[in-house]
Amino acid sequence: MKTIGIIGGGQLGLMIAEQARLLEVRTVCLDPAADAPAGAVCDDHIVGRFDDPEAVEELCRRSDVVTYEFENVPGEILIPLCEKYHIPQGYRPLYDSQDRLREKSNARDHGLQTPRFAAVDDEASLRAAVADMGLPAVLKTRTLGYDGHGQLVLRSEADIEQALPLLAVPCILEEFIPFDFEASIVMVADRERIVSFPIGRNVHRDGILDLCFVPAEVDAEVLRRMKSQSERFMRACGYEGILAIEYFVRQGEIYFNEMAPRPHNSGHYTIEGATTNQFRELVRYLVGQPLEEPRLVAPTVMKNILGQDLEAAERIAREPQEGVFVHIYGKSESRPKRKMGHITFVGMTAAEYARAWADRFV
Ligand code: AMP
């Protein structure tokens, strides 16, 4: 039986481990928290930090193949280990996605359209970039930003003053795209083929994914273009394994926003809403099994459960209903805006969700 090592033990690690178990593959995760969600399902859990070289190497030693479930694994640790152990996705996709400036430059260099952007490091470069790009614009920290943390929309000159504290670290200023909708794609690639999951339309709240509707119910030609350009991009970059890309769409134009070389929140619907899911295909890739092309089972809605919605989700979980799948990640501490679980509604359209379910959540 093969063992997959997972750097990180959050909900993504948990769902990788669940699918691995179904495919008779062992898992071991590395996470600093003794009560990390994946720890409950993995066969082994190494309690250790991601920036502790000994801990990461211990994970590699105990695994046949290693993957990661979050982006911020330090290169100085992973690069030497990629030489010694089987880490088939390698460090490259992490390197390309860890810094928003590098990430957008890489996307543009490999054929994707991005919002206009500029590096800003101080007040002078921020004012110069605003003068060039105009307002509104979005200021984001280059590294370690996620779910809308470390970013600010500048709407008028007066907002520049407020933005200055963010410039304590290197930032990027981006053109604000008044998008018609957001969408994302998840792909899994081995040497021979790429499989991609049906594209969903995403709705964010406070910068955090709130809802995902699949199919996206938007122009099919735009979705076809999104799929083909994403697959071309993945090949052009030489990535293997799993890759998710988030886009903004405005009047038929597709703009790259960001990417992640790991399972993606917008792909959680695939567990019940598709014939195979993002976690299972990642596991198949890692253990060298042929990939399976996914198909949508029925229109599906995924609702993220943040701390403020946990009680409502637990109530729903107690009243089983056909097509409603409640996932609670088992995190020990619930906080507003913390991802605590998700619910998948299979056989439901966006309109039906709005009518029957939306008002059950905060
Ligand atoms: P990010 O962390 O970059 O994915 O940003 C979180 C959310 O903020 C996105 O999903 C969008 O809803 C919004 N956002 C980020 N960048 C832009 C932009 N350049 N134009 C418009 N909205 C944006």
Side-chain angles (χ1 to χ4, degrees):
M1 208 186 236
K2 282 196 177 165
T3 301
I4 295 176
I6 308 167
I7 304 177
Q11 64 267 23
L12 302 177
L14 165 75
M15 290 182 268
I16 296 171
E18 285 171 345
Q19 294 300 318
R21 178 152 291 187
L22 294 173
L23 292 172
E24 301 190 342
V25 174
R26 292 181 78 258
T27 48
V28 47
C29 67
L30 168 70
D31 196 282
D35 58 357
V41 177
C42 287
D43 298 274
D44 266 317
H45 173 187
I46 299 170
V47 179
R49 289 159 48 125
F50 313 121
D51 57 0
D52 173 359
E54 304 253 314
V56 184
E57 181 145 17
E58 173 68 13
L59 178 80
C60 294
R61 263 199 303 272
R62 290 210 219 160
S63 311
D64 298 297
V65 56
V66 173
T67 189
Y68 29 74
E69 59 111 79
F70 80 127
E71 282 103 316
N72 294 312
V73 188
E76 15 353 324
I77 292 185
L78 204 60
I79 292 166
L81 294 174
C82 286
E83 315 258 297
K84 272 174 82 178
Y85 298 96
H86 187 37
I87 310 176
Q89 290 154 283
Y91 179 62
R92 185 85 217 177
L94 288 178
Y95 177 82
D96 292 339
S97 58
Q98 278 169 348
D99 175 324
R100 290 185 191 274
L101 182 65
R102 210 155 53 213
E103 183 182 40
K104 290 218 162 54
S105 307
N106 178 64
R108 200 177 50 189
D109 293 348
H110 291 94
L112 300 182
Q113 174 170 234
T114 68
R116 286 190 296 151
F117 60 89
V120 295
D121 300 309
D122 51 25
E123 184 172 350
S125 52
L126 175 59
R127 288 192 185 277
V130 167
D132 183 46
M133 211 176 281
L135 292 175
V138 190
L139 184 67
K140 301 179 181 179
T141 57
R142 279 173 53 176
T143 59
L144 302 179
Y146 67 99
D147 286 347
H149 294 278
Q151 59 176 270
L152 199 67
V153 179
L154 308 181
R155 299 193 184 275
S156 69
E157 294 278 334
D159 292 340
I160 293 182
E161 207 64 38
Q162 273 183 41
L164 297 179
L166 217 56
L167 295 176
V169 293
C171 285
I172 177 173
L173 187 74
E174 289 175 19
E175 171 190 10
F176 182 87
I177 305 289
F179 50 77
D180 302 326
F181 63 93
E182 294 184 76
S184 53
I185 185 166
V186 177
M187 299 168 284
V188 179
D190 60 17
R191 294 265 151 88
E192 270 113 61
R193 63 188 310 208
I194 299 186
V195 297
S196 52
F197 289 87
I199 294 173
R201 180 167 65 82
N202 300 334
V203 176
H204 288 77
R205 216 159 126 185
D206 300 329
I208 307 173
L209 183 67
D210 181 31
L211 288 159
C212 185
F213 300 106
V214 202
E217 296 185 57
V218 295
D219 187 350
E221 189 276 328
V222 171
L223 298 184
R224 265 197 304 278
R225 246 189 305 134
M226 189 177 286
K227 175 174 150 75
S228 62
Q229 71 171 41
S230 300
E231 293 181 355
R232 261 199 319 276
F233 170 78
M234 191 168 183
R235 280 291 181 236
C237 293
Y239 301 147
E240 280 188 24
I242 189 160
L243 184 74
I245 307 181
E246 290 184 53
Y247 292 105
F248 303 135
V249 180
R250 178 165 190 253
Q251 296 176 349
E253 294 287 323
I254 303 172
Y255 299 88
F256 171 96
N257 177 35
E258 59 182 5
M259 67 175 199
R262 53 156 172 81
H264 196 256
N265 195 169
S266 66
H268 292 0
Y269 84 86
T270 60
I271 296 176
E272 295 93 3
T275 47
T276 182
N277 65 69
Q278 59 169 351
F279 305 100
R280 189 184 308 168
E281 292 313 303
L282 171 62
V283 170
R284 285 198 167 122
Y285 162 75
L286 292 168
V287 300
Q289 290 180 8
L291 302 180
E292 186 185 316
E293 191 69 49
R295 270 182 302 104
L296 193 64
V297 171
T300 297
V301 177
M302 193 282 305
K303 161 75 182 157
N304 253 353
I305 300 304
L306 306 184
Q308 62 269 31
D309 283 322
L310 185 57
E311 274 181 35
E314 285 169 345
R315 265 197 305 278
I316 294 167
R318 284 194 295 271
E319 33 181 282
Q321 289 182 64
E322 206 183 316
V324 179
F325 301 90
V326 181
H327 296 248
I328 305 286
Y329 306 144
K331 294 183 183 177
S332 49
E333 195 197 339
S334 170
R335 285 191 305 272
K337 296 195 179 184
R338 186 174 196 207
K339 291 177 183 171
M340 302 303 295
H342 72 268
I343 305 182
T344 308
F345 301 89
V346 179
M348 188 171 298
T349 62
E352 287 163 351
Y353 173 82
R355 252 196 326 271
W357 288 91
D359 64 0
R360 303 201 39 173
F361 304 104
V362 174

